[in-house]
Amino acid sequence: MFRVDLALACEMQAWLHRPASGPMPEHFKEGNAAACFALISIAARKPVVFWGALFAIPALPLLLLLRWA
C-alpha cells in the first residue's frame, strides 16, 4: 500500500513487539516508511481504532447515500 519492502514492514512489526524497543530506527522515519510505520503502530497498539477506521472509510459513502435517499 505504501510501496514499502515487505522485509522492512516485517522489521517494523518485530520492533514494535520487542519488550524493550529503545529508540526508533532512523530508516523508519523516512519517506513511505514513515506512513507505513504509523499504520503498523496504530494496528499494534490500538487494534479497535484501526479496524474501526478500516471499516468506516468504505462505509462512509454508503451511509451518506442512505441518508440522502
Side-chain angles (χ1 to χ4, degrees):
M1 186 161 131
F2 294 106
R3 296 185 181 143
V4 173
D5 184 32
L6 182 59
L8 179 59
C10 290
E11 183 182 348
M12 291 175 185
Q13 183 77 17
W15 184 83
L16 282 169
H17 290 291
R18 278 190 231 154
S21 297
M24 183 170 35
E26 288 298 317
H27 60 280
F28 290 0
K29 299 178 185 179
E30 301 170 355
N32 291 343
C36 181
F37 182 74
L39 192 62
I40 289 174
S41 65
I42 291 170
R45 294 178 182 149
K46 299 179 180 180
V48 174
V49 171
F50 175 77
W51 289 108
L54 203 61
F55 173 73
I57 290 169
L60 183 62
L62 179 63
L63 293 172
L64 288 174
L65 281 173
L66 290 173
R67 170 86 174 142
W68 290 329

